[in-house]
Amino acid sequence: MIKNFPTLKNLIIAIIILQALVYSLIFGPLSINKFDLTMNFYGDFPSYKNFDFSSLKLILSQNRSFGFPLILKFYNLFDYNFTFWPKFVFILYSLSNIFLFYSLINSNLNKVFSFFFILGLTVSFTLYPFLTWWTELFSIMFLNITLGFMFLSINRNKVYHYLFFSFFLFFTYQIRPPFVIFTILPTLFCLINYFFFENKSNLKKIFF
């Protein structure tokens, strides 16, 4: 019993409680008024909002990649004025942290290390000023999910995990093109596994 303490359930509950506290510090009655939550509809926003999806040629020829404009298009159906955008991004970012934590634990990483790693992501207040920006925190959220599916793919070797991993990796750099650099991370990870730990079971699938 002592060996299994703290349990995965207890740690996830602790993360959720901490996320709720951070939410209160940003949006709720405990707000520390540190963040300007005024939405910026100038600068980059018009090029995302007015992205032209009328033809494949236009989709591929515009100066923006289509990933984030597509997300905005669907979100705008439910919140026309983007009133709840900062809260929406915070909640999705928090869920991505929980999913990454679950993936790390299921990949046999140390529970305490994984918990404090996610704790660091949760209380990184340098990230939260980007709640009213457009792609910054959203792309980090997608990267969290991508890494989560990468670890699940390697650990469980299920085809649907590889498919989800590929999908979220693709959308991560479609949301924020500089994140294309992270496409080398899974291959690098598996090469290290192969050369240092002689584990080659997932190498071909990850490459693919």
Side-chain angles (χ1 to χ4, degrees), residues 2 11 44 49 61 68 90 111 122 153 168 172 196 201:
I2 295 177
L11 289 174
D44 293 340
K49 179 68 169 58
S61 64
F68 191 67
F90 178 90
K111 283 189 290 188
T122 301
S153 299
F168 279 99
T172 296
F196 291 94
S201 58

Side-chain angles (χ1 to χ4, degrees), residues 177-193:
F179 274 29
V180 71
I181 188 70
F182 289 109
T183 58
I184 67 172
L185 180 62
T187 309
L188 184 63
F189 183 86
C190 286
L191 285 173
I192 292 172
N193 252 352

Side-chain angles (χ1 to χ4, degrees), residues 14 23 33 35 79 81 85 102 123-124 139 144 166 173 186 201 203 206:
Y23 181 93
N33 296 319
F35 308 109
D79 182 12
N81 295 316
W85 179 258
Y102 170 83
V123 299
S124 292
S139 54
N144 284 348
S166 299
Y173 66 81
S201 58
L203 190 60
I206 288 289

Side-chain angles (χ1 to χ4, degrees), residues 40-202:
N40 180 7
F41 295 109
Y42 304 98
D44 293 340
F45 178 74
S47 61
Y48 294 125
K49 179 68 169 58
N50 300 321
F51 192 90
D52 192 342
F53 287 96
S54 59
S55 72
L56 181 61
K57 182 179 179 180
L58 280 172
I59 289 173
L60 297 177
S61 64
Q62 294 172 80
N63 66 320
R64 295 293 181 189
S65 52
F66 71 87
F68 191 67
L70 185 62
I71 290 169
L72 280 187
K73 191 175 184 66
F74 279 106
Y75 178 84
N76 201 209
L77 296 174
F78 304 97
D79 182 12
Y80 184 77
N81 295 316
F82 294 91
T83 305
F84 301 103
W85 179 258
K87 294 180 180 178
F88 173 71
V89 174
F90 178 90
I91 291 170
L92 289 188
Y93 174 68
S94 297
L95 291 174
S96 76
N97 283 337
I98 292 173
F99 176 71
L100 179 57
F101 176 70
Y102 170 83
S103 303
L104 293 174
I105 297 301
N106 277 269
S107 298
N108 299 317
L109 269 74
N110 182 273
K111 283 189 290 188
V112 176
F113 167 80
S114 300
F115 175 77
F116 279 100
F117 176 70
I118 299 301
L119 184 70
L121 292 178
T122 301
V123 299
S124 292
F125 282 96
T126 53
L127 290 175
Y128 296 123
F130 295 104
L131 284 169
T132 56
W133 293 37
W134 297 105
T135 62
E136 284 75 9
L137 200 53
F138 217 89
S139 54
I140 293 174
M141 175 192 73
F142 264 73
L143 182 60
N144 284 348
I145 298 172
T146 299
L147 292 175
F149 275 117
M150 184 188 80
F151 286 117
L152 288 178
S153 299
I154 293 171
N155 185 52
R156 296 185 178 179
N157 201 23
K158 300 289 186 182
V159 173
Y160 67 91
H161 283 143
Y162 286 104
L163 291 175
F164 279 121
F165 158 65
S166 299
F167 172 81
F168 279 99
L169 178 60
F170 172 72
F171 252 88
T172 296
Y173 66 81
Q174 283 297 318
I175 292 171
R176 193 165 179 80
F179 274 29
V180 71
I181 188 70
F182 289 109
T183 58
I184 67 172
L185 180 62
T187 309
L188 184 63
F189 183 86
C190 286
L191 285 173
I192 292 172
N193 252 352
Y194 176 69
F195 287 110
F196 291 94
F197 302 103
E198 298 182 352
N199 180 5
K200 59 181 180 180
S201 58
N202 304 89

